[in-house]
């Protein structure tokens, strides 16, 4: 190799090393940026509004919400509002995800069903609390994308299925908790049936075009005990529910 060639190779090597260091530095900066955002989100949106369970707060501190939203919304991922996730759907505001999770009272080892996987964020939060999460999404592209993100982040306790969640997941029933993250005008009977005795079902019930009431239904002696939690606005459940008039 001529001296000139050697010098060129050396220079190229140096440029590579420097760009590698810069991109590592950017990654580290990103990590600190999002970690700080996450800490602020937990203290100002979740803890300050009365949700103080340590396991719950820890789950929200550890799940990288920005990796569940489309790239152009990453910097806004920890703000106090919902964000678009494609296909006209949205990821709920962090506080609503936290409130639903708290109401479901998920304990380690619990079997949990989610209807409306969307981005996969709620499923990841649930997987921080238990290793058995089953999530159903009716839109194929969203189901595929969410399953991919969850896999890449090692949320191995989540199983995603593309189907109409109105019918639950009968093969895996009964569940300790069921969370429905799309609006329903009535409680789908299969979901209540698939709840264990003492189990909790959290679901936005009401008009699917306007507002709903986030509702907690507990199965006590085989019967529903209902508590209304908060007025909310979710995207509508589609599929079978549109045919059933109740
Ligand atoms: N939990 C999600 C947000 C869900 S948005 C998250 O953490 O990102 C509501 C989702 O419910 C949408 O993705 C929508 O496609 C889905 N959905 C609507 N009707 C459904 C049905 N019948 N069964 C399953 N999923 C449904």
């Amino acid at each position: 190799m001529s001296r000139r060639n050697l010098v060129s190779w050396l220079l190229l090597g140096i440029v590579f090393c420097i760009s590698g260091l810069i991109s590592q530095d950017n990654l580290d900066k990103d990590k600190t940026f999002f970690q700080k955002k996450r800490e602020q989100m937990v203290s100002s949106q979740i803890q300050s509004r009365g949700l103080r369970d340590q396991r719950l707060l820890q789950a929200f501190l550890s799940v990288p919400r920005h990796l569940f939203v489309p790239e152009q919304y990453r910097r806004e991922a920890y703000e106090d509002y919902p964000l678009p996730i494609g296909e006209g759907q949205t990821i709920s505001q962090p506080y609503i995800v936290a409130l639903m999770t708290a109401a479901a009272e998920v304990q380690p080892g619990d079997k949990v069903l989610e209807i409306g996987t969307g981005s996969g964020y709620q499923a990841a939060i649930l997987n921080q609390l238990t290793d058995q999460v089953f999530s159903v999404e009716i839109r194929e592209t969203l189901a595929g994308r969410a399953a991919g993100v969850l896999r890449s982040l090692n949320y191995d306790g989540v199983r995603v299925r593309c189907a109409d969640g109105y019918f639950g997941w009968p093969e895996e029933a009964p569940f300790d908790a069921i969370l429905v993250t799309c609006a329903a005008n009535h409680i789908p009977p299969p979901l209540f049936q698939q709840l264990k005795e003492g189990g909790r079902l959290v679901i936005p019930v009401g008009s699917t075009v306007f507002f709903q009431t986030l509702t907690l239904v507990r199965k006590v002696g085989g019967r529903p005990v209902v508590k209304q939690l908060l007025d909310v606005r979710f995207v509508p459940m589609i599929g079978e529910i549109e045919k059933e008039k109740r």
Side-chain angles (χ1 to χ4, degrees), residues 75-165:
R75 302 226 140 211
E76 287 174 71
Y78 298 96
E79 301 301 323
D80 198 11
Y81 44 76
L83 285 173
I85 52 168
E87 306 254 321
Q89 307 305 303
T90 51
I91 179 175
S92 302
Q93 166 193 2
Y95 173 65
I96 297 296
V97 181
L99 187 67
M100 291 183 75
T101 311
E105 292 175 20
V106 180
Q107 301 302 318
D110 272 4
K111 220 169 172 180
V112 181
L113 173 68
E114 179 196 21
I115 307 303
T117 316
S119 68
Y121 178 67
Q122 170 81 75
I125 291 284
L126 292 168
N127 192 196
Q128 289 289 138
L129 301 171
T130 179
D131 56 359
Q132 295 195 82
V133 181
F134 299 83
S135 189
V136 185
E137 169 57 54
I138 202 165
R139 290 180 168 89
E140 222 174 302
T141 34
L142 291 180
R145 201 185 300 154
V149 175
L150 289 162
R151 206 177 316 117
S152 72
L153 295 171
N154 298 321
Y155 288 103
D156 300 331
V158 184
R159 276 170 63 194
V160 177
R161 167 188 268 190
C162 184
D164 187 339

Side-chain angles (χ1 to χ4, degrees), residues 9-237:
W9 279 110
L10 270 175
L11 281 175
L12 204 65
I14 291 170
V15 169
F16 263 123
C17 284
I18 292 177
S19 66
L21 285 176
I22 291 174
S23 67
Q24 185 56 45
D25 189 43
N26 279 345
L27 274 181
D28 291 346
K29 273 192 191 138
D30 258 16
K31 220 169 161 183
T32 334
F33 173 83
F34 288 121
Q35 201 163 329
K36 277 215 179 93
K37 286 274 179 198
R38 227 165 15 247
E39 285 164 10
Q40 283 164 1
M41 169 190 82
V42 168
S43 65
S44 71
Q45 300 170 38
I46 301 177
Q47 222 168 357
S48 67
R49 291 178 181 146
L51 300 175
R52 304 228 161 77
D53 179 82
Q54 278 310 312
R55 291 180 65 239
L56 180 85
L57 299 179
Q58 202 48 52
F60 280 84
L61 282 175
S62 57
V63 178
R65 181 171 158 101
H66 61 285
L67 298 181
F68 289 85
V69 303
E71 202 140 358
Q72 71 263 38
Y73 297 116
R74 287 215 167 134
R75 302 226 140 211
E76 287 174 71
Y78 298 96
E79 301 301 323
D80 198 11
Y81 44 76
L83 285 173
I85 52 168
E87 306 254 321
Q89 307 305 303
T90 51
I91 179 175
S92 302
Q93 166 193 2
Y95 173 65
I96 297 296
V97 181
L99 187 67
M100 291 183 75
T101 311
E105 292 175 20
V106 180
Q107 301 302 318
D110 272 4
K111 220 169 172 180
V112 181
L113 173 68
E114 179 196 21
I115 307 303
T117 316
S119 68
Y121 178 67
Q122 170 81 75
I125 291 284
L126 292 168
N127 192 196
Q128 289 289 138
L129 301 171
T130 179
D131 56 359
Q132 295 195 82
V133 181
F134 299 83
S135 189
V136 185
E137 169 57 54
I138 202 165
R139 290 180 168 89
E140 222 174 302
T141 34
L142 291 180
R145 201 185 300 154
V149 175
L150 289 162
R151 206 177 316 117
S152 72
L153 295 171
N154 298 321
Y155 288 103
D156 300 331
V158 184
R159 276 170 63 194
V160 177
R161 167 188 268 190
C162 184
D164 187 339
Y166 187 90
F167 303 103
W169 194 318
E171 304 88 323
E172 292 295 340
F175 297 96
D176 297 279
I178 301 178
L179 286 87
V180 181
T181 64
C182 40
N185 59 10
H186 65 268
I187 295 170
L191 296 185
F192 186 70
Q193 275 155 19
Q194 290 173 26
L195 208 53
K196 263 185 204 168
E197 174 61 22
R200 292 80 56 197
L201 166 65
V202 187
I203 177 169
V205 190
S207 155
T208 50
V209 249
F210 299 109
F211 291 92
Q212 307 90 36
T213 305
L214 192 60
T215 307
L216 168 65
V217 183
R218 201 181 284 272
K219 197 179 222 175
V220 182
R223 307 195 67 82
V225 175
V226 177
K227 187 177 172 195
Q228 300 188 327
L229 302 176
L230 185 77
D231 283 341
V232 284
R233 193 162 187 190
F234 276 79
V235 292
M237 187 184 248

